[in-house]
Amino acid sequence: MPSIETVEREAMEAVAAASSTQELRELEIRFLGKQGVLTGLLRAIGQLPPEEKPRFGQQVNAAKARVQAAIDERERELKRLENAARFERERIDPTMPGRRWRVGRRHVLQATADRIKAVLGGLGFEYLESPELELFRYNFEALNYPPDHPAMDEQDTFYIDDQHLLRTQCTAIQGRVFERRKPPLRVFTIGRTYRNENVDRTHGHTFHQVDCFMVDEGVSMAHLKGTLGQFARSMFGSDVRVRFRPDFFPFVEPGVDYAISCPFCGGSGCAVCKGSGWIELGGAGLVHPNILEAYGIDTDRYSGFAFGLGVERIPMMSHGIDDLRHFLENDLRFLEQFPS
Amino acid sequence: MKFPFAMLRDFVETRLGPAEVGDLLTMAGFELEGIEQVEGDTVLDIKVTPNRGDGLSVFGLSREVLAKDAEARPTELYERACRRFPMPDDGDEGETGAFASVTIETEDCPRYACRMFRNVPQGDSPEWIQRRLRQAGMRPISLLVDLTNYVMLELGQPLHAFDLDTLAGPEIVVRHARPGERLTTLDGTEHELAPGQMMICDAEKPVAVAGVMGGLETEVTPATMNVLLESANFRNTTVRRTRKQLGLSTEASYRFERSVDPDGVVAALNRFAELLEAVDGGASRVFGVIDRYPGRSDRQPVRLTLARTCRLLGLDVTLDQCRSYLSRLGMEVTEAEGGLLVVPPSWRPDIVREDDLIEEVGRVHGYERIPEVLPQGSTPQGGVSGVYARIDLLKDALLRAGCTQVVSHSLVGTSPLDDPSAERIGPKNPVSADAAWLRSSLLPCLADAARRNGAKDLWLFEEGRTFAMGPSGPEERRRVGIYAQGTLLPDHWRKSDPGRADFFAVKGIVEETLSFLGLEAEWSAGSDPRLHPTRQASVLVGGELAGVVGAIHPDVAQDAGLPDDCVLAELDADRIVRTPVEPRRFRAVSRNPAVRRDVAILIGKDVPYAVIERVVAEAAGDVLERQWLFDVFEGQGIPEGKHSLAIALQLRKFGGNFTDEEANQVRDRVVEALARLGATLR
Ligand SMILES: [Zn+2]
């Protein structure tokens, strides 16, 4: 009968020489299995004097444990080698082009409108829409335009028939809202407007506007400035400041033109702000008391503000787009330049 | 309003330079639009808003400078302008009255005044006047005409000089034109006049369009010896209507439309006389002023309360500040309970109520002093909800389906893809032929986008309004259009099916989109003449027509310059987003395994699949979890007029497993039901 040491040495050599996990399984059976060589040594235990029996048993079990450990270790080693070989076989060039799934892109005007919706919606303004094919009444009369007044000349209007026109300003929604609702209210809209103008780089007959207004108790020019400031900082960056300058729109009193400090140069002057440090965004003011009164709103109790701005201005500024005509021409080489 | 800076210095002493005055005026509401050097002086170009006719003069803008710049001082000229250039003969008609009578027959002329000059000098005006007119963008013509223009530039009051000797008789009548009357204006155009147009007439006929332009026959010429100089005030709406009807527009009509100070009428005649005397050294003889002022009206005082002023501006101003600001603008201010009683000056017809005064206080105080404060108080629901949220979802679904959004013009030309069922409408005053109509459909817009991008793989959609004549007038409707050509997936070096644009690809997008919105669609054969007659469908949502899908008609494709394998869809977005969605009740999810049975049948091609699908569903009952068509075959071995369909049935029970036998029974029921449609097993 071979000694424990001999059997263990033989097992260890075989394990070290094994070249596959399959071979290791076989060695495990051959040495450590129920019929295995090392296990078989225990059967000779009966021939030993009783005082040697425990020690012999311990020695055999210790040898079995060492062989098992060697097998496990060798197995991990072999697995490592096998994986390494497999990974080398399966190597790809990850810089080759991916399988592109076609995901639709929002139009840059839609992406801008969606940002505006998120900001004004977050400030508590409700989004509503009104017709592009508008009644003369809502586009002008309801907005306190005096009859036959040159203020209407500033907006060359497309007329469809005696009553209908293509709205020249999204502000036309105000009368429709005041007709149906009572204060307090906070509403904004984004939509398409039309002016009968010849088309060039900076003029179009079709463009998009935001109009935003609120009516509540004690609404002031300071609230208008605060809201515009918050809106401008959400859209353009946290350092932006708002400036008011007197201007005239029949539907506000006082009326202002508002500008933001240039987000590109911080106000020191650059190409975007044409050196002035300020970028004019649109018109604003307190809703004209004639309008509130016309809709039965008590002007001693309530006041409101309104502001508007052009949607195209925003991507033109932030992407440096220099020609208004790009927006509605749908050249994918233009549209695909901007993330959705 | 263009003027040389030197003219402003005539009225105001200020340490500010031209650019600084430009900024100051901008912050006062008169925007500096341009600043340039012309003939040795700085010329300011100031935009005057249509409510502020008083800003269309150097005198008027000087008033704004003095109100905003506390360090500026009025000059002697400014003081005299405020006193209306008093002359010794004020109030005395003198020989002018002896020569002429003035009759005003219309309410549209609140005031008419004139002054007679005899032996006026001929020739040009002095160089300094000519230069200042050129700097202001006006053309020097002759001494008399230049002086009228110069006074208008200074004071804003248009003047007109008649050659006295060409007038018929000693009479001036302001009245509306009579039918059949004609007048040739000094631009050489002959006008047929219509009632409602306001004219200045002599004893016989119209000699000038009131407030717009003089007549050719009575204009001053190099030979003119004697002049009747008119200074008047006309109602803005009448001037505007008349000049629009006659197609005229002048410096005078521009000012009258925006209002001219009725109290400055005589002052302008006097300033003219003063300047003429300075030029000719008193050679010409000046006669008195006839002044008819039937439209004189006292301005009503407007009350300003300090509390409302502070509340609306959102800042604290004192009563003293209000008083000071308003006085500087020429208002008469007296103290009243809780605020001020303010009489606006004659040149400010725009000030009629308290909030107009509050704007003036804010403007002079400076809007830069208004703080930023966020609104407090009750907040109604904000954000996007209701149909507007559904529209956003609809667009989202199309983006996810791989379509790129385009946004096109609504003003368009004519296209073979215009909606054939729509009576198109367009502006009465189109800007050009290719923008003469409002789009009746989004398909022509998508076709334009497709052509612009050429032979690429294109999967496009547009959401927008379309327009047509409705039963009770012009109407607009929100639609969604889809255009597909080429493959859905870009070509890739690892070959796989890229998906081609065909009817079923676009139908799939529409199905997926409607399902995304929680809506069920019904499909039937369509009859849109723009589409392939046998490859199109109508889609119904909630039982109503909600759109069409189809391959383009090959003839239309040719006319529209599109490939004839492109596929189009147009949906009625208004109908879709307004269709109510059935509330969904939770259904428990079975934990038992599903079994599949396939049915392959031969059936006539005239049996619509929608019918087969319904029959299968009814025959299989509740255990049918899903059915789908997985193969269609026709041709070899299949009889003419028939095709072979392979349909998969996925069956599942709740709380128990299907045995083979039970599953086969379901399949047999389906086969039996299909047999009643004429199907045979294959
Ligand atoms: Zn800048």
Side-chain angles (χ1 to χ4, degrees):
Chain A
M1 192 178 83
S3 71
I4 296 173
E5 289 75 18
T6 312
V7 176
E8 185 179 348
R9 195 182 316 115
E10 189 193 339
M12 288 304 201
E13 281 164 7
V15 166
S19 61
S20 72
T21 49
Q22 178 57 34
E23 217 175 305
L24 281 177
R25 290 281 84 73
E26 287 161 11
L27 290 174
E28 201 171 8
I29 293 163
R30 183 168 139 216
F31 287 99
L32 306 174
K34 278 187 184 143
Q35 308 297 321
V37 184
L38 262 174
T39 320
L41 289 179
L42 283 175
R43 263 179 245 119
I45 203 164
Q47 298 156 16
L48 291 177
E51 65 276 16
E52 287 184 23
K53 277 182 185 168
R55 208 173 63 91
F56 183 78
Q58 283 163 10
Q59 282 171 343
V60 171
N61 282 333
K64 279 178 78 173
R66 283 193 294 277
V67 170
Q68 185 66 57
I71 289 173
D72 292 349
E73 171 57 31
R74 181 65 184 155
E75 183 166 13
R76 281 193 291 275
E77 171 71 14
L78 283 173
K79 187 84 190 154
R80 219 163 27 240
L81 291 170
E82 279 169 22
N83 272 349
R86 170 180 172 180
F87 294 154
E88 202 45 54
R89 276 199 313 280
E90 294 178 356
R91 181 178 293 281
I92 57 158
D93 174 359
T95 67
M96 281 181 173
R99 183 74 173 103
R100 295 291 282 266
W101 197 255
R102 200 187 290 272
V103 175
R105 297 271 182 115
R106 280 183 301 175
H107 190 281
V108 61
L109 290 176
Q110 178 79 53
T112 308
D114 287 351
R115 276 183 67 207
I116 295 168
K117 284 182 186 175
V119 172
L120 291 179
L123 284 167
F125 291 86
E126 179 184 0
Y127 182 75
L128 295 175
E129 291 186 11
S130 66
E132 290 173 21
L133 186 66
E134 188 51 282
L135 292 166
F136 183 87
R137 185 154 61 93
Y138 291 111
N139 197 78
F140 290 124
E141 277 171 18
L143 295 178
N144 196 40
Y145 279 77
D148 233 342
H149 194 267
M152 284 182 238
D153 288 352
E154 297 200 330
Q155 305 185 357
D156 292 320
T157 308
F158 286 117
Y159 289 96
I160 304 299
D161 60 24
D162 293 345
Q163 294 165 37
H164 293 86
L165 46 74
L166 295 176
R167 67 176 169 199
T168 60
Q169 45 197 356
C170 278
T171 318
I173 195 175
Q174 287 185 13
R176 289 179 175 272
V177 171
F178 291 143
E179 239 168 33
R180 287 181 175 79
R181 301 199 185 187
K182 293 287 156 234
L185 48 86
R186 301 185 187 192
V187 168
F188 75 110
T189 191
I190 304 176
R192 180 167 282 200
T193 57
Y194 304 83
R195 306 259 171 104
N196 192 341
E197 280 192 28
N198 286 315
V199 176
D200 64 24
R201 295 171 79 86
T202 53
H203 297 87
H205 53 65
T206 303
F207 51 97
H208 298 80
Q209 276 187 344
V210 184
D211 194 83
C212 180
F213 59 100
M214 77 174 287
V215 177
D216 202 346
E217 290 177 21
V219 172
S220 73
M221 292 291 279
H223 294 132
L224 170 62
K225 210 181 213 182
T227 304
L228 279 170
Q230 188 65 39
F231 171 72
R233 284 186 286 276
S234 300
M235 294 296 294
F236 303 107
S238 56
D239 298 331
V240 169
R241 284 159 292 128
V242 174
R243 186 188 76 177
F244 283 171
R245 171 176 86 63
D247 203 347
F248 168 71
F249 306 95
F251 39 90
V252 282
E253 185 74 30
V256 298
D257 191 306
Y258 66 94
I260 56 166
S261 58
C262 178
F264 302 95
C265 63
S268 57
C270 69
V272 181
C273 58
K274 299 192 185 75
S276 72
W278 294 95
I279 294 175
E280 286 185 2
L281 278 190
L286 296 186
V287 179
H288 202 291
N290 290 354
I291 299 177
L292 298 180
E293 280 167 7
Y295 290 100
I297 297 169
D298 177 2
T299 51
D300 285 334
R301 182 171 171 200
Y302 291 108
S303 51
F305 70 62
F307 67 86
L309 74 153
V311 176
E312 282 85 349
R313 277 299 297 283
I314 296 170
M316 285 182 96
M317 236 159 62
S318 48
H319 299 306
I321 299 166
D322 62 356
D323 191 331
L324 195 61
R325 289 171 291 197
H326 285 305
F327 288 108
L328 299 182
E329 283 179 349
N330 296 314
D331 193 320
L332 292 177
R333 293 168 302 173
F334 170 76
L335 295 180
E336 287 176 352
Q337 289 179 32
F338 313 107
S340 191
Chain B
M1 161 86 192
K2 256 190 187 180
F3 63 92
F5 191 62
M7 283 184 77
L8 188 98
R9 299 290 296 262
D10 288 353
F11 285 90
V12 188
E13 275 173 41
T14 172
R15 288 179 307 186
L16 302 181
E20 292 158 306
V21 166
D23 284 346
L24 178 145
L25 285 171
T26 295
M27 294 315 287
F30 297 87
E31 188 184 1
L32 178 68
E33 285 208 305
I35 180 164
E36 54 177 343
Q37 291 300 122
V38 181
E39 296 190 52
D41 196 6
T42 308
V43 172
L44 299 181
D45 187 0
I46 302 291
K47 181 182 172 190
V48 178
T49 53
N51 60 328
R52 291 298 302 273
D54 64 300
L56 291 169
S57 68
V58 177
F59 175 48
L61 292 175
S62 300
R63 197 155 41 222
E64 293 293 323
V65 172
L66 287 163
K68 283 288 277 186
D69 175 9
E71 290 180 17
R73 291 287 165 265
T75 61
E76 183 265 348
L77 180 65
Y78 182 91
E79 303 280 13
R80 284 198 302 124
C82 289
R83 294 200 313 275
R84 313 286 188 193
F85 295 105
M87 281 180 69
D89 67 355
D90 278 348
D92 178 8
E93 294 187 358
E95 281 189 45
T96 310
F99 168 78
S101 71
V102 169
T103 316
I104 299 176
E105 294 182 355
T106 164
E107 286 187 353
D108 294 341
C109 176
R111 189 175 190 182
Y112 192 97
C114 55
R115 197 188 257 290
M116 188 166 68
F117 298 81
R118 288 194 181 275
N119 296 329
V120 292
Q122 279 122 27
D124 295 335
S125 55
E127 175 51 30
W128 67 271
I129 288 187
Q130 292 193 33
R131 187 180 63 243
R132 285 180 167 192
L133 288 177
R134 282 193 302 269
Q135 286 166 330
M138 294 181 193
R139 195 165 51 91
I141 291 168
S142 66
L143 174 63
L144 294 172
V145 176
D146 291 359
L147 280 181
T148 61
N149 282 331
Y150 189 77
V151 171
M152 177 174 70
L153 200 58
E154 273 195 334
L155 305 180
Q157 171 66 50
L159 297 174
H160 183 67
F162 293 103
D163 184 330
L164 192 62
D165 302 316
T166 62
L167 293 175
E171 240 185 289
I172 290 288
V173 183
V174 187
R175 61 166 169 83
H176 288 251
R178 295 177 183 136
E181 283 185 326
R182 306 177 83 81
L183 173 66
T184 303
T185 44
L186 52 79
D187 60 350
T189 317
E190 190 181 357
H191 302 276
E192 196 163 322
L193 306 177
Q197 296 172 348
M198 199 180 1
M199 296 293 143
I200 309 301
C201 307
D202 63 11
E204 297 171 355
K205 59 184 185 307
V207 292
V209 183
V212 184
M213 192 182 272
L216 186 64
E217 276 178 42
T218 54
E219 76 168 328
V220 290
T221 65
T224 299
M225 295 287 297
N226 305 309
V227 163
L228 190 70
L229 184 69
E230 165 198 295
S231 180
N233 192 273
F234 302 109
R235 179 161 297 165
N236 60 345
T237 50
T238 313
V239 171
R240 179 176 158 85
R241 194 174 57 236
T242 305
R243 74 122 185 114
K244 279 186 130 183
Q245 286 169 359
L246 298 179
L248 296 169
S249 179
T250 59
E251 292 272 354
S253 68
Y254 190 83
R255 283 174 171 78
F256 281 121
E257 280 185 59
R258 284 157 181 77
S259 86
V260 173
D261 178 8
D263 285 2
V265 160
V266 172
L269 291 176
N270 292 359
R271 176 61 173 159
F272 181 99
E274 179 180 301
L275 284 168
L276 181 63
E277 190 184 358
V279 170
D280 74 359
S284 49
R285 294 179 56 208
V286 181
F287 298 90
V289 173
I290 304 177
D291 180 13
R292 299 282 174 271
Y293 198 171
R296 183 195 298 274
S297 65
D298 289 330
R299 295 299 306 272
Q300 292 303 307
V302 180
R303 199 187 174 85
L304 178 84
T305 56
L306 188 63
R308 184 172 175 88
T309 306
C310 295
R311 192 171 80 232
L312 289 191
L313 292 177
L315 47 72
D316 288 330
V317 285
T318 64
L319 204 58
D320 280 346
Q321 285 172 323
C322 295
R323 188 188 298 111
S324 156
Y325 299 152
L326 296 174
S327 307
R328 280 194 245 165
L329 291 168
M331 317 219 183
E332 276 174 42
V333 183
T334 49
E335 204 149 321
E337 166 123 33
L340 303 170
L341 214 52
V342 181
V343 181
S346 55
W347 59 86
R348 292 297 304 273
D350 59 309
I351 292 182
V352 292
R353 58 183 298 169
E354 183 177 11
D355 291 7
D356 301 327
L357 291 173
I358 293 174
E359 172 168 58
E360 295 303 296
V361 170
R363 205 165 62 83
V364 181
H365 189 68
Y367 287 152
E368 70 280 1
R369 291 155 86 166
I370 294 175
E372 281 193 25
V373 178
L374 278 176
Q376 308 287 314
S378 40
T379 311
Q381 171 180 298
V384 183
S385 58
V387 291
Y388 304 111
R390 305 271 299 154
I391 290 158
D392 285 349
L393 267 189
L394 175 57
K395 286 187 272 193
D396 248 20
L398 289 163
L399 289 169
R400 292 172 191 209
C403 298
T404 285
Q405 184 184 21
V406 297
V407 177
S408 319
H409 278 286
S410 344
L411 287 166
V412 296
T414 294
S415 158
L417 285 162
D418 291 334
D419 185 343
S421 64
E423 182 188 334
R424 289 208 296 160
I425 55 175
K428 293 197 286 189
N429 50 339
V431 67
S432 62
D434 62 358
W437 297 98
L438 280 162
R439 60 186 177 189
S440 57
S441 162
L442 295 174
L443 298 183
C445 298
L446 286 159
D448 282 346
R451 277 194 303 270
R452 173 167 290 273
N453 289 289
K456 287 182 190 156
D457 299 326
L458 294 173
W459 296 70
L460 307 175
F461 84 95
E462 174 157 10
E463 177 266 340
R465 321 246 181 130
T466 60
F467 306 83
M469 185 56 72
S472 56
E475 286 178 353
E476 70 180 59
R477 196 140 190 96
R478 187 194 304 272
R479 297 197 198 187
V480 165
I482 303 174
Y483 178 94
Q485 90 185 19
T487 63
L488 180 56
L489 296 185
D491 189 27
H492 194 248
W493 51 273
R494 293 183 68 172
K495 303 298 175 203
S496 57
D497 182 6
R500 283 226 136 256
D502 62 12
F503 170 83
F504 292 106
V506 176
K507 178 180 174 183
I509 289 175
V510 173
E511 286 175 316
E512 190 65 18
T513 298
L514 293 172
S515 146
F516 189 78
L517 288 166
L519 298 172
E520 288 187 19
E522 285 173 74
W523 297 84
S524 60
S527 59
D528 191 310
R530 295 169 293 180
L531 302 177
H532 190 298
T534 55
R535 292 194 168 181
Q536 61 163 303
S538 300
V539 54
L540 283 77
V541 173
E544 305 269 6
L545 184 63
V548 289
V549 178
I552 195 167
H553 193 295
D555 298 347
V556 174
Q558 195 168 26
D559 291 349
L562 295 172
D564 70 0
D565 59 354
C566 70
V567 184
L568 308 169
E570 187 161 39
L571 304 176
D572 182 340
D574 276 330
R575 171 148 287 150
I576 289 169
V577 300
R578 287 188 163 80
T579 302
V581 178
E582 293 294 314
R584 298 293 160 91
R585 297 286 305 169
F586 162 76
R587 276 197 316 257
V589 177
S590 166
R591 297 183 190 282
N592 300 97
V595 295
R596 171 172 166 173
R597 287 293 179 272
D598 292 347
V599 177
I601 53 168
L602 265 181
I603 192 163
K605 282 160 79 174
D606 55 344
V607 182
Y609 182 72
V611 173
I612 296 172
E613 201 174 26
R614 199 179 61 236
V615 165
V616 168
E618 282 165 6
D622 289 345
V623 293
L624 181 70
E625 188 173 65
R626 195 160 82 85
Q627 61 165 311
W628 67 99
L629 180 67
F630 68 92
D631 193 38
V632 178
F633 181 73
E634 59 187 288
Q636 203 174 7
I638 307 291
E640 187 70 19
K642 296 197 173 208
H643 54 185
S644 152
L645 305 180
I647 300 164
L649 312 174
Q650 182 169 302
L651 310 172
R652 199 194 300 266
K653 280 206 294 197
F654 197 82
N657 291 356
F658 259 106
T659 62
D660 273 357
E661 199 181 338
E662 286 169 327
N664 292 342
Q665 279 168 7
V666 174
R667 183 185 58 194
D668 293 346
R669 284 208 305 274
V670 167
V671 170
E672 209 174 296
L674 289 174
R676 288 196 287 275
L677 289 178
T680 51
L681 266 190
R682 187 161 180 258

